[in-house]
Amino acid sequence: MLSFNTLVAVCLVYVMLLFLVAFGADRSAARNKNRFLNSPLIYTLSLSVYCTAWTFYGAVGYAARSGLEFVTIYLGPTLVMIGWWWFLRKLVRVGRTQRVTSIADLLSSRYGKSNLLGVIVTLIAVVGTTPYIALQLQSVTLSFSVFARDRSAGWVLPDLDATALWVAGGLALFTILFGTRNLDVNERHHGVVTAIAVEAVVKLVALLAVGAFVVWGVGGGPSGIATAVDEAMRAAPGEAWAIKGGRWVGLTFLSAAAFLTLPRMFQVLVVENLDERQLSMASWAFPTYLFLMSLFVLPIAVVGLATLPVGENPDLFVLTIPLHYDRDGLAMLSFLGGFSSATSMVIVASIALSTMVSNHIVMPIWLSTRPGGASVSGDVRQILLTARRLSIIAVLALGYLYFRISGGGAALAAIGLISFTGVAQVLPALAGGLFWRGASRNGAAAGLLTGFAIWAYTLFLPSFGEAGVMSASLLADGPLGIGWLKPQALFGVAGLDPVVHAILWSMILNTATFVTVSLLSFPSPLERLQGAQFVNVLDQSGPAKGWTMPMATAEDLLIMAQRIMGADEAQALFQAQAASQGKGGYLPDTTPDFIARLERELAGSVGAATAHAMIAQIMGGATVSVDDLMAVADETQQMLEYSQRLEAKQSELTTTARQLSAANEKLTQLSIQKDAFLSQISHELRTPMTSIRAFSEILRDGGTAHPDAAGRHASIIHDEAVRLTRLLDDLLDLSVLENGQVELNPQRDVLSNLLDRSVSATSSVIDAEGLRVRRYPMHEQVELVTDTDRLVQVFINLIANAAKYCDASDKQLRIKVGRRDGELRVDFVDNGSGIPPESEALIFEKFSRLTDQAAAGGAGLGLAICQEIMGKLGGTIAYLPGQSGGAFRVTLPLEKPA
Amino acid sequence: MTKQVLVIEDEPNIVEAISFILSRDGWKVSTHANGETAVQAVYDASPDVLILDVMLPGRSGYDILKDLRANDATRTLPVLMLTARGQRTDRELAQRLGVSKFMTKPFSNAEVLETLNDLVSG
């Protein structure tokens, strides 16, 4: 009775209806009349996207094959909704506060906005979901085939593959129309969610109707069903219906994990969530929905086994039982229920996957291939939509491909479990990201890749069958005959169910890798900040919050402060604060006072507004994006570095300026000294010249005839000329000595001889001044090799000085000789009052006469010359303070005895 | 009437030369060699004109000139300054202090005589 045309027409009408519902919902959402749309009921019903064609058809088949084990698939989500409510709430809160668009986006955002991670999760999701989509194709195709086989009313399906292709194409079109109809891709899909809710009702009603018909129409009420169950259990081959503890635990865990990580579940749970309070109703309503969905699964299975011909596919009992009893209407409803299940899953999954693919793969590639890709113009939205549409087609094409390659033969439940295990690999990174601040990007990536690889190796690739991707020998003996690498018995763990085996190894190694690499790698600041945001999301964005935050926030504040103020200053500030609170370390309690103080400190570097935004960002109440914040912080850091460089430059300049100033001062001093020197020379030359000129003029004019006077005048001229000559000699001597152009003439002699020469050379002045010279000849027998003439010159100077300047009434000079440390010391000590301490530093300067000119009789160059000479001879001359009178010491290195 | 000149100079040979020249020209010459007691010597001698050296033991000629110009009795006393340091700054300093005439050594005997005669007659 049900013709192909009728079936297709009903399908089309149904789809049109859904489309209208979606359209209406979008319209009313746009007009803000969305109170109904926001109701937790819609949200709860949209969660039913978990119940796919697998649940609708496959659960019955599962029950027919393995008894009650199908319950695990409902048990997992139920446990999550009831027992892991806190996990869900955190997930939803994070999703809302971070405005994530998919599970890939969430992980990428959590781990420092790493697109690498986004790509990995996207690929896992695509590969993991592909079997699932194939499963929907298969179930819809099978349901068509049921009608075709049972009813030869006008049409015969030509080919299952072709049907699947038609179905895939239709679903792609359907999804594109639904999921990407909105130009604004960032908004929630009100229409789709409402349509999904309608479909949820349809599939529940259909399954309940079939169930009621089976129980009361065919099976003879609950008691009849109970009998049928007993019979079926006895009839089941081997241990098929026995409850296996390991499988139960594994599958319950798996379905719970999949409930959280499946892209379509994440889409409806988190992305489409409008209000966190929707969760509280869903937490009891959705388990109820699941309970109702599972209520009649076992009865349908046992009645199907008992009443239908042997060999009938139990996956299709929901359809075949009504058809068997010629209930066309019920069959139609059942078909629509299955169709709803399949379409809702495919639509939501494709939307979720296409969002990931376009956001994490297509757009980055497109942007990077564009010249000047950073400047995004208005056409991006259209590009994005196109990318999503193409992604949807690609996803469905992949599903179809899997359907073709896997041969469409595997039981629905088996395909579903493979898919679950694949996407469950995201769980460790997800849970770690939400609850463990130490979780790092590298850890997440390594864990995901490890788990994914093991899943592919132990479950996904073998699922293509022995003639599929893996050879039979590889499956039986392992790669290259290595037994412990057998895909379905890794590390020698044999005898496990393949699914449990895959769950066990993939999750253990995934988690272990994730934790290990996280512990070993150091997260970037952005990662740490995002980590804190995610882990502390419930504390931060709670409705009533003061500035009372856990220790973790102090660490974030410190990290931020270091970026702004520099590590040393920030640590000092925090340490001081911690110390004032009586704590060690760098992490004080974040008291309001401290927060206010820190804000002021930061404001000094970045300005008050930015500082407040930064503090607010970390303490909660996020109003700026982390990216903005980081950009600000980085900029500030750069400015800080720049200003530090400027500071360094400035201090360098200051130093240079100081050096220049010192050099300038020195030059000025030298210039003054030079002027003074020239002035001195001028005076010293002009004075004798004056006498010479005056007397020579007197002589020339012949103004006096007195011969005695003339003779006297002539002798004055002579004396002054001698004095002038001596002065010039001294100047030249000094000049030569100072310029280092002097040639030494070393000779061997005994010190006593040199002193004899010196004393006799000064005998005239000694006699004139009445100086007594005391010597110690015993000590003077020292042999020297030096420029003896120069040394005698020094001695003469010292003796003459003593004669001229000693102010004692009974002038006396002692010449003492000593030897010490390989040097010869000759001390000239007189009995006068010596040189005043304030003048000691001056006496070796040129023209430094301490007494008046007349008494000195020299130009004051003597000691300066002596000093130059001793320097040339390798010795020294110094004034000895603290002696009984004026005292000079001449030292000279002694030759070592050969 | 015989004019009297006081020569304050510490180089004995120069003192002898100046004394000889001025005496021959009919001046009454007295001399003094110490800077510290020079001002008192001026008051004691009360000469018609003064010849003053700059670099004197004890006190410089500039200080002596300043004292003389500060005292009414010697404010207008003609002073001929002789110095071996003939730099411009020295001359300027002397003029600021009120010197009558400034000459650098070595000098021409005739010029000294002429200058002194000008100073006492003018």
Side-chain angles (χ1 to χ4, degrees):
Chain A
M1 259 166 48
L2 275 174
S3 71
F4 175 78
N5 289 341
T6 319
L7 202 60
V8 171
V10 167
C11 281
L12 286 178
V13 168
Y14 180 66
V15 168
M16 285 297 291
L17 201 73
L18 288 179
F19 198 82
L20 281 177
V21 166
F23 185 71
D26 276 337
R27 283 279 299 273
S28 73
R31 288 197 310 250
N32 254 345
K33 288 184 177 176
N34 50 3
R35 201 185 314 158
F36 174 71
L37 294 175
N38 286 350
S39 83
L41 185 66
I42 297 285
Y43 178 70
T44 305
L45 287 173
S46 74
L47 294 186
S48 77
V49 77
Y50 179 76
C51 302
T52 65
W54 173 26
T55 320
F56 195 84
Y57 295 122
V60 173
Y62 202 153
R65 291 185 194 95
S66 310
L68 278 174
E69 198 175 282
F70 78 94
V71 172
T72 55
I73 303 306
Y74 299 94
L75 208 50
T78 303
L79 288 176
V80 169
M81 288 309 283
I82 295 169
W84 284 15
W85 196 76
W86 42 275
F87 187 107
L88 272 183
R89 190 166 70 107
K90 194 163 193 175
L91 192 63
V92 169
R93 177 77 61 85
V94 164
R96 288 167 54 76
T97 54
Q98 299 289 319
R99 306 173 73 86
V100 299
T101 58
S102 66
I103 190 163
D105 188 32
L106 181 104
L107 287 193
S108 140
S109 175
R110 160 61 179 87
Y111 295 104
K113 319 234 162 182
S114 149
N115 197 50
L116 169 76
L117 219 49
V119 170
I120 293 174
V121 176
T122 300
L123 291 179
I124 289 178
V126 168
V127 176
T129 309
T130 299
Y132 220 133
I133 289 175
L135 188 144
Q136 312 304 317
L137 296 180
Q138 184 178 345
S139 59
V140 174
T141 308
L142 283 176
S143 63
F144 268 112
S145 71
V146 166
F147 285 95
R149 187 195 57 191
D150 274 24
R151 297 287 165 195
S152 49
W155 59 286
V156 174
L157 273 178
D159 174 4
L160 277 184
D161 290 346
T163 313
L165 187 59
W166 275 107
V167 171
L171 284 174
L173 185 68
F174 194 58
T175 310
I176 289 170
L177 285 177
F178 267 95
T180 62
R181 196 170 50 82
N182 283 346
L183 266 182
D184 195 345
V185 289
N186 292 323
E187 278 203 355
R188 296 187 173 84
H189 306 83
H190 293 288
V192 173
V193 169
T194 312
I196 299 298
V198 171
E199 290 196 302
V201 175
V202 170
K203 60 194 180 195
L204 181 63
V205 167
L207 201 58
L208 288 178
V210 173
F213 167 71
V214 164
V215 172
W216 286 281
V218 182
S223 59
I225 295 298
T227 318
V229 168
D230 283 347
E231 277 174 17
M233 211 182 288
R234 271 196 299 279
E239 297 285 302
W241 277 46
I243 290 176
K244 304 176 196 71
R247 244 182 103 82
W248 270 69
V249 171
L251 293 181
T252 305
F253 169 78
L254 187 61
S255 61
F259 183 70
L260 292 168
T261 55
L262 279 170
R264 68 171 192 279
M265 290 318 298
F266 191 87
Q267 179 78 27
V268 289
L269 257 178
V270 180
V271 180
E272 306 288 353
N273 178 280
L274 295 168
D275 188 338
E276 216 173 290
R277 281 166 300 184
Q278 292 177 331
L279 261 185
S280 54
M281 179 179 176
S283 69
W284 59 265
F286 185 63
T288 309
Y289 183 90
L290 289 179
F291 172 75
L292 292 175
M293 283 295 282
S294 61
L295 189 58
F296 292 108
V297 168
L298 197 58
I300 297 172
V302 294
V303 168
L305 284 174
T307 56
L308 294 184
V310 176
E312 195 68 58
N313 186 352
D315 282 335
L316 294 171
F317 280 173
V318 181
L319 269 183
T320 46
I321 291 176
L323 285 174
H324 185 77
Y325 292 98
D326 289 328
R327 303 291 178 126
D328 284 353
L330 193 60
M332 191 69 233
L333 183 62
S334 177
F335 175 80
L336 279 182
F339 185 75
S340 294
S341 305
T343 51
S344 60
M345 182 273 165
V346 171
I347 289 167
V348 179
S350 317
I351 288 174
L353 287 179
S354 70
T355 305
M356 291 192 215
V357 171
S358 62
N359 282 6
H360 294 283
I361 296 176
V362 178
M363 288 308 284
I365 292 174
W366 181 75
L367 283 176
S368 69
T369 54
R370 259 169 65 102
S375 60
V376 173
S377 53
D379 61 345
V380 170
R381 194 181 281 178
Q382 195 55 49
I383 299 277
L384 204 54
L385 270 182
T386 309
R388 287 196 184 178
R389 285 169 182 157
L390 290 176
S391 304
I392 287 167
I393 293 170
V395 164
L396 280 161
L398 274 178
Y400 175 72
L401 211 62
Y402 183 89
F403 172 75
R404 283 294 298 270
I405 291 173
S406 69
L412 296 182
I415 298 180
L417 289 177
I418 290 169
S419 197
F420 273 22
T421 314
V423 296
Q425 300 309 321
V426 179
L427 186 67
L430 178 68
L434 287 183
F435 293 98
W436 183 33
R437 282 167 56 87
S440 79
R441 185 194 65 164
N442 292 346
L448 280 169
L449 291 174
T450 305
F452 186 65
I454 290 173
W455 167 75
Y457 185 65
T458 58
L459 199 60
F460 182 63
L461 296 181
S463 79
F464 290 99
E466 297 202 342
V469 179
M470 286 180 168
S471 66
S473 67
L474 193 150
L475 284 172
D477 304 325
L480 308 171
I482 303 170
W484 58 272
L485 282 180
K486 268 189 275 183
Q488 295 182 331
L490 269 190
F491 310 116
V493 179
L496 274 179
D497 176 81
V499 174
V500 176
H501 172 264
I503 297 170
L504 189 73
W505 283 122
S506 63
M507 291 311 281
I508 285 177
L509 292 178
N510 179 340
T511 309
T513 312
F514 168 56
V515 171
T516 309
V517 176
S518 284
L519 288 175
L520 291 179
S521 58
F522 193 78
S524 70
L526 184 56
E527 258 183 276
R528 293 179 68 90
L529 205 74
Q530 287 292 86
Q533 293 257 326
F534 277 59
V535 173
N536 301 326
V537 67
L538 293 180
D539 308 313
Q540 289 170 8
S541 50
K545 58 173 183 356
W547 286 125
T548 48
M549 289 293 140
M551 285 287 290
T553 307
E555 198 182 341
D556 293 330
L557 288 172
L558 178 57
I559 292 167
M560 176 61 76
Q562 283 179 349
R563 291 167 71 107
I564 310 287
M565 302 162 65
D568 293 343
E569 261 186 66
Q571 283 168 10
L573 175 69
F574 276 66
Q575 201 172 20
Q577 183 70 22
S580 75
Q581 294 174 356
K583 301 169 72 171
Y586 294 99
L587 299 179
D589 290 334
T590 50
T591 58
D593 278 352
F594 174 58
I595 298 302
R597 181 172 167 210
L598 180 64
E599 191 174 322
R600 283 196 302 276
E601 295 279 346
L602 291 182
S605 299
V606 297
T610 314
H612 185 75
M614 286 173 158
I615 299 272
Q617 175 75 18
I618 289 175
M619 301 301 290
T623 47
V624 270
S625 83
V626 176
D627 279 342
D628 294 343
L629 202 59
M630 287 301 160
V632 169
D634 282 337
E635 247 169 43
T636 309
Q637 180 73 13
Q638 281 167 11
M639 277 160 57
L640 217 58
E641 277 165 15
Y642 182 63
S643 77
Q644 274 166 358
R645 279 206 302 276
L646 277 180
E647 239 168 66
K649 199 88 195 162
Q650 193 188 346
S651 83
E652 205 174 286
L653 283 173
T654 311
T655 310
T656 309
R658 203 182 301 127
Q659 285 168 349
L660 278 175
S661 159
N664 191 34
E665 203 169 304
K666 203 170 176 183
L667 280 176
T668 311
Q669 207 98 52
L670 280 175
S671 172
I672 292 170
Q673 280 176 10
K674 188 201 74 182
D675 288 348
F677 183 68
L678 285 176
S679 174
Q680 278 286 356
I681 288 178
S682 163
H683 182 263
E684 299 300 328
L685 290 173
R686 281 167 189 272
T687 300
M689 283 291 211
T690 307
S691 300
I692 291 169
R693 182 173 175 184
F695 283 110
S696 57
E697 278 185 13
I698 292 167
L699 288 176
R700 183 196 61 194
D701 299 345
T704 170
H706 203 291
D708 287 352
R712 174 166 172 75
H713 294 166
S715 78
I716 290 176
I717 292 174
H718 172 262
D719 288 350
E720 292 290 2
V722 169
R723 178 178 164 189
L724 203 54
T725 312
R726 199 169 63 232
L727 174 67
L728 288 172
D729 284 344
D730 277 358
L731 280 174
L732 286 174
D733 208 6
L734 192 60
S735 166
V736 167
L737 284 166
E738 281 185 341
N739 291 329
Q741 297 159 337
V742 65
E743 266 183 41
L744 294 178
N745 179 23
Q747 285 174 324
R748 186 176 296 273
D749 210 335
V750 181
L751 178 61
S752 59
N753 291 340
L754 304 183
L755 287 171
D756 288 347
R757 275 165 60 191
S758 309
V759 171
S760 65
T762 50
S763 58
S764 60
V765 68
I766 288 174
D767 292 345
E769 300 288 347
L771 179 74
R772 282 192 297 127
V773 179
R774 281 186 59 189
R775 291 171 57 184
Y776 304 88
M778 299 269 280
H779 299 122
E780 291 173 0
Q781 304 310 312
V782 181
E783 198 167 85
L784 297 169
V785 179
T786 186
D787 189 326
T788 48
D789 291 344
R790 286 293 188 180
L791 191 56
V792 166
Q793 190 184 349
V794 172
F795 291 164
I796 289 172
N797 234 295
L798 290 173
I799 295 168
N801 277 356
K804 282 186 277 187
Y805 300 124
C806 180
D807 52 0
S809 55
D810 177 21
K811 296 182 180 182
Q812 188 178 330
L813 175 70
R814 284 178 299 149
I815 303 175
K816 299 188 287 184
V817 180
R819 275 195 266 191
R820 183 168 298 179
D821 303 333
E823 65 177 19
L824 172 70
R825 293 173 172 179
V826 186
D827 292 351
F828 295 79
V829 184
D830 66 33
N831 60 344
S833 55
I835 292 169
E838 67 270 17
S839 304
E840 279 170 20
L842 292 173
I843 54 175
F844 291 102
E845 298 289 326
K846 292 176 280 251
F847 301 112
S848 60
R849 260 181 322 228
L850 301 180
T851 53
D852 67 77
Q853 190 174 344
L861 293 172
L863 282 176
I865 291 172
C866 289
Q867 194 172 41
E868 290 291 337
I869 289 173
M870 289 317 297
K872 290 286 180 293
L873 297 182
T876 60
I877 178 170
Y879 182 73
L880 283 181
Q883 300 288 317
S884 53
F888 290 85
R889 168 173 290 174
V890 174
T891 66
L892 205 63
L894 278 176
E895 257 194 353
K896 293 229 168 65
Chain B
M1 182 185 166
T2 313
K3 296 287 182 186
Q4 187 189 343
V5 60
L6 175 61
V7 180
I8 301 179
E9 166 68 68
D10 65 324
E11 274 285 331
N13 289 340
I14 296 175
V15 172
E16 189 174 340
I18 294 173
S19 300
F20 184 88
I21 298 158
L22 294 180
S23 302
R24 195 179 57 184
D25 198 50
W27 288 77
K28 183 171 182 282
V29 183
S30 55
T31 63
H32 192 86
N34 190 304
E36 267 170 305
T37 52
V39 175
Q40 190 56 49
V42 173
Y43 295 146
D44 291 347
S46 58
D48 297 308
V49 66
L50 181 67
I51 292 179
L52 182 60
D53 185 26
V54 173
M55 287 187 70
L56 291 164
R59 202 145 181 254
S60 86
Y62 299 124
D63 291 338
I64 295 165
L65 177 62
K66 202 154 82 181
D67 277 8
L68 293 177
R69 290 300 182 232
N71 193 307
D72 285 342
T74 52
R75 193 180 305 279
T76 55
L77 174 70
V79 175
L80 167 60
M81 240 178 171
L82 292 175
T83 180
R85 299 172 60 154
Q87 280 160 318
R88 204 183 65 224
T89 49
D90 296 309
R91 180 183 296 269
E92 284 168 2
L93 177 59
Q95 276 164 356
R96 218 170 30 249
L97 290 171
V99 77
S100 315
K101 194 73 186 177
F102 188 90
M103 291 175 71
T104 51
K105 298 173 182 174
F107 46 79
S108 143
N109 294 350
E111 199 179 341
V112 171
L113 272 177
E114 192 184 331
T115 304
L116 280 185
N117 284 322
D118 285 353
L119 283 177
V120 289
S121 62

